[in-house]
Amino acid sequence: MINFSYLVFIIKSAFFDFSRNKVRTILTSLGILIGVFSVVLLMALGLGLKKYIEQQFQSLGQNLLMVLPGQGFSQNGGQGLIGGIQFDEKDVLKIKRLKNVQAIAPFFTKTLKIEYKNKSQITTLLATTGDAFKVIKVEAARGSLFTNADNEKSAKAVILGAEIANKLFGSGEKAVGEAVRIQKERFIVKGVLKKTGGGALGSETDMRAIIPFRSSYFLNPDKKFFAIYTEAKDAKSVLTLKDDIKKTLLKRYNEDDFTVSESSELLNTINSIFSVLNLVLVAIAAISLVVGGIGIMNIMYVSVTERIKEIGIRRAIGARKFDILYQFLSESVILSLFGGFLGLFFAGLIVLAVQRLFPAYLDFGSVFLALGVSSAIGIVFGVFPAKKAADLSPIDAIRYE
Amino acid sequence: MLILENVWKEYVLDQETKFAALKNIDLTIKDGEFSSIIGPSGSGKSTLMHIIGLLDKPTKGKISFSGKDISRLDDNQTSTLRNEFVGFVFQQFNLINKLSILENIVLPAIYARKQLNFDPRQKAIRLMQQFGIAGKENSYPNKISGGQQQRVAIARALIMEPQLILADEPTGNLDTKSGEGIINLLSELNSKEKITVVVVTHDRHIAAKTKRVIKIIDGEIHK
């Protein structure tokens, strides 16, 4: 029977062997260490990526519908946002008249230089309506945001992201009320956004400049939009509104020319892409675990050969085959778990280190998997050497020199 | 206690030739005997001891232990018998160098399947005192003399309170004085504690100290 003192004895004797062969033990565990380290780290980064994307989407309204050209982000599409049609004011007006529309924000973007005195910054300018701030959930830190009325008046107002305001003016406070030049046109800084570090407009939110759509015609003579974001009145009306928008647009465009997506749909698509990508990476990293396991198997065979005499002595004084099997199997499992723990530990350190930049984290599942997989490797790759040891004939083993 | 009937041990050397290490052995070892098996090297005396000690199986023949046929037992059963009823003492001492003296002595108790009615560590310490090696508990086998190592080996053989001690050339690696000490110790165990002792040796002087001498030449017992 396996009692406590037996277990202590087995573990103690395993550790004795490890301490006698320190270098060998460390090198053997290193294979498992690297395998567990890379698998756990990739899992943690994958989880972090998922969380990061979700955080980004949280800043988008729950009832948001995105009208995008081409196949957009739809599940089966892959054409992306480039190419396809562009929308115009007629489309915006038609959608605006539909039932259940809470807010509507058409978007035009252009990458250009924005100048203040002798300083200049490259920015991806965004031209939209006052509703946009509601839809994409951004707030002013300084000054105020422009409204739909400002848009109607073609006000020469600009809202700056926190970082670009800092770069041009030194601080957001100094920016409000000042005039900047956008391709020779003068715009007055009406407000500066709160620092977001990301958000609905992507990681560049802090470097954005946003102007009323009607003031952007000098950049956009065709008066076209690349996207129209619409917020439905409530969660129930999202799907109705989605259908209505589709019907409206189908009168002018072909089915393939545009896509209407819900924000949750987009999130699911992006998440599923990253999940598959992460799974592939984890699978590749898992190959190193197999290599590590083979290393353990190799060393266990050496260990059995070195200790044939000892096995013979143990058998002579009454150890059964099972006892010998158990002894060697415990050693390979301890060896593998040792590597697993260290791999987990180092992966944990890296995760802690990157957490300030990126929400990577270890969940219970990856810890359990790391330790479970390393024990399993110890058993699978240890069982053949252990069986070899157990099957030695006691008389041949004790005579072995 | 132990009866061997028509026991043969044959080794197949190649397809045509067989070598019989033991031929038709009939041997009875009674409870409480102190006997020696003597013969030149290659006579088959070690093979006989391995078969008596259940380390090896005969090719033919029957072995009974306390009236029970033990020649057809499986590995688990013979391991248990070795653990509980037989204590081995070897020429090479065969201690495990990475375990301390005390751990070596209690090792058979680790593998015990039955509930022990004594504390192995206390018993080991008592045996060490009895054998004049007290104080070496935490030392290691390669740090003590050959004579002391053999005493440790005898203590290990006794820890499970066996009925039979099998000693294979127990003095072979020792100087005359230490060797004599070991034989006296075995003799004492036999006379005082009524343990059956079988010593395998090629040395007539050693054999002369035992109560019964079994001669074996070319695998056969000479009466």
Side-chain angles (χ1 to χ4, degrees):
Chain A
M1 293 310 103
I2 301 170
N3 56 36
F4 183 69
S5 66
Y6 182 82
L7 262 182
V8 168
F9 171 78
I10 291 267
I11 290 168
K12 202 179 152 191
S13 103
F15 274 100
F16 188 91
D17 275 303
F18 298 153
S19 68
R20 205 175 41 168
N21 293 308
K22 283 190 195 79
V23 175
R24 192 162 93 178
T25 304
I26 288 164
L27 288 179
T28 311
S29 304
L30 200 61
I32 300 295
L33 190 157
I34 292 168
V36 168
F37 172 78
S38 38
V39 167
V40 169
L41 193 61
L42 282 170
M43 283 174 72
L45 292 179
L47 286 168
L49 191 62
K50 203 171 164 184
K51 198 171 176 183
Y52 178 77
I53 293 168
E54 271 161 19
Q55 279 173 0
Q56 300 297 304
F57 270 83
Q58 265 162 19
S59 57
L60 282 177
Q62 295 295 309
N63 307 327
L64 186 71
L65 285 165
M66 284 161 283
V67 184
L68 298 166
Q71 291 296 301
F73 292 115
S74 68
Q75 301 273 347
N76 49 1
Q79 292 175 15
L81 298 166
I82 299 154
I85 54 153
Q86 288 186 305
F87 305 104
D88 59 21
E89 279 191 291
K90 237 181 183 173
D91 300 320
V92 177
L93 278 174
K94 279 182 182 165
I95 294 172
K96 206 172 176 178
R97 278 192 220 117
L98 294 171
K99 267 194 289 178
N100 300 321
V101 173
Q102 172 84 24
I104 182 160
F107 287 107
F108 166 79
T109 65
K110 190 172 174 120
T111 301
L112 41 69
K113 227 197 284 180
I114 181 165
E115 291 162 285
Y116 171 70
K117 289 185 176 162
N118 54 352
K119 290 186 204 161
S120 74
Q121 286 290 326
I122 301 289
T123 178
T124 305
L125 182 94
L126 203 63
T128 183
T129 60
D131 272 2
F133 302 110
K134 273 190 256 170
V135 173
I136 60 181
K137 307 241 178 320
V138 287
E139 286 170 49
R142 304 278 169 201
S144 60
L145 303 169
F146 63 76
T147 60
N148 285 342
D150 290 332
N151 184 41
E152 296 303 323
K153 285 185 285 181
S154 305
K156 294 282 191 185
V158 60
I159 310 296
L160 294 178
E163 202 179 324
I164 194 169
N166 267 342
K167 283 189 174 156
L168 287 173
F169 297 96
S171 82
E173 231 167 314
K174 286 181 201 155
V176 178
E178 293 290 325
V180 292
R181 286 184 310 282
I182 299 168
Q183 292 200 347
K184 309 275 190 279
E185 295 272 339
R186 253 170 65 95
F187 280 81
I188 304 294
V189 179
K190 189 161 194 221
V192 176
L193 296 177
K194 279 186 183 161
K195 195 166 174 61
T196 62
L201 302 176
S203 55
E204 310 152 57
T205 306
D206 294 334
M207 278 299 285
R208 290 270 188 195
I210 306 170
I211 60 170
F213 177 71
R214 281 172 180 277
S215 317
S216 74
Y217 290 161
F218 72 101
L219 297 166
N220 181 20
D222 298 336
K223 304 178 185 175
K224 294 285 192 186
F225 307 107
F226 92 93
I228 304 168
Y229 283 22
T230 313
E231 196 179 278
K233 228 184 275 169
D234 47 45
K236 277 183 283 178
S237 56
V238 173
L239 289 178
T240 325
L241 182 59
K242 185 179 175 182
D243 277 347
D244 290 345
I245 293 173
K246 265 191 187 166
K247 273 182 210 154
T248 310
L249 292 176
L250 274 174
K251 285 176 196 159
R252 285 188 74 188
Y253 307 109
N254 291 325
E255 203 170 342
D256 293 342
D257 287 340
F258 68 92
T259 321
V260 185
S261 319
E262 302 151 59
S263 50
S264 60
E265 202 179 324
L266 183 57
L267 176 64
N268 287 340
T269 310
I270 294 180
N271 264 344
S272 69
I273 293 169
F274 280 116
S275 299
V276 170
L277 199 66
N278 194 237
L279 196 70
V280 170
L281 287 174
V282 168
I284 293 170
I287 294 173
S288 58
L289 277 175
V290 176
V291 177
I294 294 169
I296 286 190
M297 193 169 184
N298 193 13
I299 280 306
M300 288 313 293
Y301 270 122
V302 173
S303 178
V304 169
T305 310
E306 281 177 351
R307 287 153 71 188
I308 288 179
K309 182 95 178 172
E310 178 195 322
I311 294 164
I313 296 168
R314 287 177 190 267
R315 293 283 274 138
I317 61 175
R320 291 162 298 173
K321 284 185 177 189
F322 170 82
D323 294 311
I324 303 296
L325 184 85
Y326 195 77
Q327 182 187 346
F328 281 91
L329 212 48
S330 314
E331 284 186 22
S332 66
V333 171
I334 291 169
L335 203 58
S336 181
L337 262 180
F338 175 66
F341 265 114
L342 286 183
L344 194 60
F345 174 74
F346 287 120
L349 282 188
I350 300 280
V351 166
L352 277 181
V354 301
Q355 240 167 7
R356 300 177 58 190
L357 306 166
F358 185 72
Y361 67 99
L362 289 175
D363 63 353
F364 178 74
S366 28
V367 172
F368 181 77
L369 195 80
L371 300 182
V373 163
S374 34
S375 321
I377 284 176
I379 292 171
V380 169
F381 290 93
V383 79
F384 292 101
K387 186 93 174 61
K388 184 190 167 191
D391 285 345
L392 286 171
S393 114
I395 191 69
D396 291 339
I398 203 158
R399 279 195 195 136
Y400 187 87
E401 291 302 333
Chain B
M1 137 188 268
L2 194 71
I3 302 166
L4 280 72
E5 293 168 83
N6 296 320
V7 166
W8 288 74
K9 180 69 187 179
E10 289 171 335
Y11 295 101
V12 179
L13 299 178
D14 56 54
Q15 281 175 334
E16 282 131 43
T17 35
K18 274 192 213 163
F19 167 72
L22 295 176
K23 298 168 195 161
N24 199 20
I25 301 284
D26 285 310
L27 179 65
T28 303
I29 289 167
K30 295 196 188 81
D31 265 343
E33 260 189 7
F34 183 28
S35 40
S36 55
I37 299 173
I38 186 166
S41 61
S43 59
K45 57 186 191 303
S46 284
T47 306
L48 182 59
M49 192 203 91
H50 293 145
I51 284 176
I52 294 172
L54 299 166
L55 276 172
D56 208 353
K57 282 191 172 169
T59 321
K60 280 188 284 196
K62 188 180 163 190
I63 307 169
S64 339
F65 190 81
S66 303
K68 249 187 355 190
D69 183 359
I70 55 167
S71 32
R72 302 282 170 267
L73 296 181
D74 68 17
D75 188 83
N76 275 353
Q77 291 167 312
T78 48
S79 300
T80 305
L81 280 179
R82 280 200 299 272
N83 185 248
E84 293 175 7
F85 296 108
V86 188
F88 288 98
V89 178
F90 298 95
Q91 179 176 0
Q92 312 286 349
F93 320 131
N94 282 349
L95 300 172
I96 295 176
N97 282 325
K98 64 181 183 184
L99 299 181
S100 73
I101 301 297
L102 189 65
E103 285 167 331
N104 263 289
I105 297 174
V106 300
L107 193 59
I110 299 274
Y111 294 122
R113 259 76 73 190
K114 65 173 183 189
Q115 193 67 41
L116 301 179
N117 55 7
F118 57 88
D119 175 27
R121 296 179 80 85
Q122 279 175 12
K123 179 158 187 191
I125 289 167
R126 213 164 54 239
L127 284 168
M128 288 178 78
Q129 283 163 350
Q130 189 184 338
F131 295 170
I133 44 173
K136 302 276 184 197
E137 288 82 359
N138 298 316
S139 194
Y140 285 85
N142 47 11
K143 298 275 189 278
I144 59 175
S145 74
Q148 288 173 324
Q149 286 191 53
Q150 200 60 300
R151 282 161 197 268
V152 172
I154 295 171
R156 179 180 67 186
L158 287 170
I159 192 87
M160 292 294 289
E161 304 182 330
Q163 299 177 15
L164 175 65
I165 295 277
L166 287 176
D168 187 2
E169 304 275 10
T171 59
N173 270 15
L174 300 174
D175 58 78
T176 322
K177 196 172 161 242
S178 314
E180 215 157 275
I182 293 298
I183 288 299
N184 291 340
L185 189 63
L186 290 173
S187 165
E188 220 170 274
L189 288 172
N190 172 258
S191 58
K192 287 190 184 156
E193 295 176 34
K194 309 291 173 226
I195 298 171
T196 314
V197 178
V198 178
V199 180
V200 172
T201 183
H202 65 278
D203 186 338
R204 284 170 191 288
H205 302 290
I206 303 286
K209 302 208 169 181
T210 63
K211 293 174 194 160
R212 178 184 172 198
V213 179
I214 301 154
K215 273 187 200 157
I216 180 164
I217 295 168
D218 292 337
E220 287 174 293
I221 290 176
H222 280 233
K223 301 236 163 83

